[in-house]
Amino acid sequence: MSSPDTEELATTPAPLGTDEPAMPGRGRFWRGLTGSLAAGMVVLAVLVLAIAGICLFTGAPGPGPLMLIGHPVAAVVALLAQRGADGRTGRVAGFAGLGVVVSVTAALSLFWWN
């Protein structure tokens, strides 16, 4: 059951402020891509740490200390850059997204593609 106040809120568009992009669809793909890369880096870091824990208990050789430090650092850098990309518009958001791509690419090339 809705009241007149909630119906008015549902039909009234939000005012455009200085933080809102002029075109709502602009940058959506880029932010989605960089957000997915940042989230994937976090998942990869958690998996590497979990595998290291399993290897510690089973006595199997596991990832080295460089991987155990590098993956979480890359994930944190990617998340901070993504936060900057989500909170800003224009060139600042584009460069923050580029920071996400560079962080993820660096981690993958240093730890996996060598």
Side-chain angles (χ1 to χ4, degrees):
M1 191 168 190
S2 63
S3 69
D5 292 334
T6 57
E7 287 177 10
E8 180 183 343
L9 288 175
T11 58
T12 305
L16 285 177
T18 57
D19 294 334
E20 293 284 328
M23 292 186 225
R26 233 176 136 198
R28 177 179 270 174
F29 174 77
W30 180 245
R31 286 185 182 167
L33 176 68
T34 58
S36 297
L37 288 173
M41 192 67 228
V42 170
V43 169
L44 184 61
V46 169
L47 287 174
V48 167
L49 292 173
I51 289 171
I54 291 170
C55 289
L56 181 68
F57 287 116
T58 61
L66 188 61
M67 285 186 81
L68 294 176
I69 294 169
H71 279 82
V73 168
V76 168
V77 168
L79 285 177
L80 290 175
Q82 182 61 33
R83 182 177 167 122
D86 286 340
R88 304 284 176 97
T89 59
R91 288 186 182 191
V92 176
F95 284 125
L98 187 63
V100 172
V101 173
V102 168
S103 171
V104 171
T105 303
L108 291 177
S109 65
L110 288 173
F111 302 124
W112 294 95
W113 294 331
N114 55 10

